[in-house]
Amino acid sequence: MELETLQRPGNYLDGAFRIPAQAEGELVIRSPADSTDVCSVQPYARAALHEALEAARKAWPSWRRLTIDQRADHLRGYQARLRANHAAITQAIAREVGKPLWEAKTEVDAMIGKVDLTLGEGRRFTDDAQLPDLPGEIRHRPLGVVGVIGPFNFPGHLPNGHIVPALLLGNCVVHKPSEKTPSAGTWMARCFHEAGLPAGVWNLVQGPGELGAALSTHPDVDGLMFTGSSAVGRRILASQVDRIDRLIALELGGKNASIALDDCDIERTARAVAFSAYVTAGQRCTATSRLIVTRGVARPLIERIASIARQIRVGYPLSPASDAPVFMGPVIDAAARSRLLEAQRAAQAAGFQAVVPGGEHALETHAGHYVRPALHVAPDPTTDVPGNTDAELFGPDLAVYEVESPEEAFALDNKGWSGLTAAIFTASRGVFEQALDALRVGVLQWNRASAGASSRLPFGGIRDSGNHRPAGIFAGMACSYALGVQLPATNEAPLTWPGFGV
């Protein structure tokens, strides 16, 4: 397979790729799956951020004055270029994230599908409306210039999920990808450029995390959509004290639980939980990191998940289709692998039983950041991994907690900081309704994998996992505001009030 290095493609500013005239540094991106594979080289400079925002502000008046159908036509052109470049974008994501090709393909499919969802079902949440019994209208107006800061684990799909609605509703966008996976952003720029999007409407700025921080506080930003860790989300909110008008939508991390009760289907539950724990090497914000299980079904369920974990094929994510299929590639970098291994050592020191120990995994053909799936059973429901109580452990490790009742399971899940997603496995509709009432999460799955969110539903967290501005089908609501318009009534009465005068 021929691998292309995106050699200094530069930022995408005002309708053109531009390399910084005075670069302050350079991102040299090596694949986590093969340290000899240089995926892209990205020079960066803070000045590019100002150029991007100036271009977006200049383009905004003419872009917002297009009709929504005209903007939709531009997005269909972008969608067509995503389709045309599908294989190349898939390869870029697989190389930089370490996802198997089959999984990277589903991400590009989701990017393409987002356009249809936004132009179809998604529009109804921000459609203008005329009130039948009042001379008034509800109009939805764009915020202006919005920033979109993307994560490394879904470098195409997640920022795309904010960008497409933002553009449809008349905003101009500055996108800053993760410094770990910048190539998906470069391919998005190519697709917008090939589609003939007007200059300045969408801009790309590459660089380290400091440029994302600068974007989030820049005075010329009217709205910000951030996907990433809860710690960074808190810092972003803290930095907004002087900008009460800036709309911030935070899509943050999750330390999610799957709850399995005595009446669950053991085989389906085991497969759904194992998928959620180990897909994307455990690096999804919706991953199941905790299994809370009632004792009546704990032993057989743990044994079945352990059997699946031991058989998961870990390997080079770009292996040809003719080879044995790979389910899981590496974690994103050496630091992530070190954090995972240290957490596993700490867990075992704290009394966790290593049913499937995990650990490093070496390939003969490719030197990367590979690990094995792990499964640990907690000594009791109150014990957590030391140092891992208030953050995600982004890796393929599942901790199991045994409890006596559904009520104890719900209370244990609510005890933590995370409020993104939960999955409950039970045959009882009544118990599911109890979970729906009790659990403090933004997404709830019933007999489904926690890592299987639908783009046709709202997606976002509460507590430390978000700020009540979900993406998914609701994404347009985070990049627009509702305007009340009152029109003159027919046969209006004279404007008189008591004591007003003649």
Side-chain angles (χ1 to χ4, degrees):
M1 179 182 297
E2 185 176 345
L3 301 179
E4 174 194 10
T5 297
L6 296 177
Q7 195 70 252
R8 295 178 177 80
N11 304 298
Y12 186 74
L13 308 174
D14 205 15
F17 281 103
R18 297 181 186 174
I19 298 173
Q22 295 182 313
E24 298 166 10
E26 199 169 63
L27 302 177
V28 179
I29 308 301
R30 295 182 180 273
S31 172
D34 187 338
S35 59
T36 66
D37 176 15
V38 179
C39 305
S40 65
V41 179
Q42 305 276 1
Y44 62 84
R46 188 174 177 125
L49 178 62
H50 302 289
E51 293 177 43
L53 289 165
E54 287 177 3
R57 185 62 66 187
K58 180 180 68 176
W60 185 49
S62 57
W63 179 250
R64 75 171 188 262
R65 288 173 186 143
L66 294 179
T67 68
I68 195 167
D69 289 333
Q70 288 172 321
R71 294 193 294 266
D73 286 341
H74 282 288
L75 290 171
R76 290 190 185 95
Y78 164 67
Q79 182 188 46
R81 299 317 302 163
L82 288 174
R83 285 198 179 99
N85 291 297
H86 194 301
I89 304 170
T90 295
Q91 186 191 89
I93 291 172
R95 289 168 70 193
E96 284 198 345
V97 183
K99 292 182 179 182
L101 283 169
W102 66 264
E103 189 185 354
K105 177 183 181 299
T106 65
E107 179 168 354
V108 184
D109 290 343
M111 295 172 69
I112 293 168
K114 183 64 181 183
V115 177
D116 291 329
L117 284 170
T118 300
L119 303 188
E121 293 180 55
R123 280 184 61 168
R124 75 180 188 269
F125 298 102
T126 51
D127 265 348
D128 296 341
Q130 225 171 353
L131 304 183
D133 57 346
L134 179 76
E137 297 177 353
I138 300 169
R139 300 283 187 99
H140 288 85
R141 305 296 298 150
L143 300 180
V145 174
V146 301
V148 176
I149 302 176
F152 78 80
N153 56 346
F154 283 89
H157 170 52
L158 288 178
N160 186 73
H162 293 295
I163 290 166
V164 171
L167 294 177
L168 178 68
L169 289 166
N171 300 279
C172 289
V173 176
V174 174
H175 173 38
K176 194 280 182 191
S178 168
E179 60 273 20
K180 297 179 181 182
T181 52
S183 292
T186 297
W187 276 106
M188 291 168 74
R190 287 184 176 181
C191 290
F192 279 124
H193 187 78
E194 292 171 4
L197 191 74
V201 170
W202 183 89
N203 304 270
L204 174 74
V205 177
Q206 303 281 16
E210 290 79 3
L211 265 70
L215 175 60
S216 69
T217 56
H218 197 285
D220 210 26
V221 171
D222 301 302
L224 183 75
M225 292 82 190
F226 169 78
T227 306
S229 72
S230 298
V232 175
R234 283 193 292 271
R235 290 200 293 271
I236 288 174
L237 280 184
S239 70
Q240 307 300 315
V241 64
D242 293 327
R243 283 297 305 269
I244 60 173
D245 62 315
R246 181 181 287 146
L247 197 153
I248 308 292
L250 301 176
E251 189 174 313
L252 306 178
K255 190 176 179 183
N256 311 294
S258 286
I259 298 171
L261 305 181
D262 283 357
D263 62 345
C264 73
D265 180 318
I266 290 176
E267 179 63 19
R268 291 188 64 85
T269 301
R271 294 180 71 82
V273 171
F275 172 84
S276 296
Y278 305 131
V279 71
T280 324
Q283 297 172 122
R284 292 193 185 188
C285 58
T286 55
T288 288
S289 59
R290 298 181 298 155
L291 170 61
I292 304 173
V293 56
T294 47
R295 296 195 191 280
V297 76
R299 288 300 99 193
L301 184 57
I302 291 169
E303 289 171 6
R304 184 66 185 106
I305 294 172
S307 174
I308 294 170
R310 293 187 188 104
Q311 295 177 66
I312 282 176
R313 188 178 295 277
V314 179
Y316 182 58
L318 279 78
S319 294
S322 57
D323 291 357
V326 168
F327 177 77
M328 198 181 91
V331 293
I332 190 65
D333 55 26
R337 182 171 63 178
S338 294
R339 284 193 299 271
L340 174 66
L341 298 177
E342 177 56 36
Q344 290 174 346
R345 287 189 290 267
Q348 293 177 38
F352 282 72
Q353 176 193 0
V355 179
V356 182
E360 294 188 51
H361 181 71
L363 301 183
E364 293 182 3
T365 53
H366 300 277
H369 310 301
Y370 295 94
V371 294
R372 292 290 312 167
L375 175 65
H376 292 82
V377 177
D380 60 72
T382 64
T383 303
D384 204 341
V385 180
N388 187 39
T389 57
D390 60 353
E392 291 171 287
L393 179 60
F394 243 31
D397 192 296
L398 178 63
V400 183
Y401 297 84
E402 297 181 26
V403 296
E404 300 293 343
S405 67
E407 292 75 18
E408 186 181 355
F410 303 155
L412 182 59
D413 189 29
N414 283 337
K415 185 179 178 182
W417 59 270
S418 170
L420 181 54
T421 185
I424 179 165
F425 296 87
T426 175
S428 169
R429 176 67 191 235
V431 174
F432 167 72
E433 292 292 341
Q434 291 177 29
L436 194 149
D437 177 66
L439 295 175
R440 295 279 295 153
V441 294
V443 178
L444 183 60
Q445 309 278 22
W446 182 19
N447 293 336
R448 299 178 68 97
S450 72
S454 170
S455 295
R456 297 181 64 191
L457 296 173
F459 179 82
I462 58 175
R463 295 192 282 170
D464 277 6
S465 294
N467 64 336
H468 302 88
R469 295 200 179 275
I473 204 71
F474 277 14
M477 299 171 69
C479 52
S480 63
Y481 67 93
L483 174 68
V485 179
Q486 196 152 348
L487 306 173
T490 57
N491 302 319
E492 276 194 300
L495 297 179
T496 61
W497 295 272
F500 187 67
V502 295

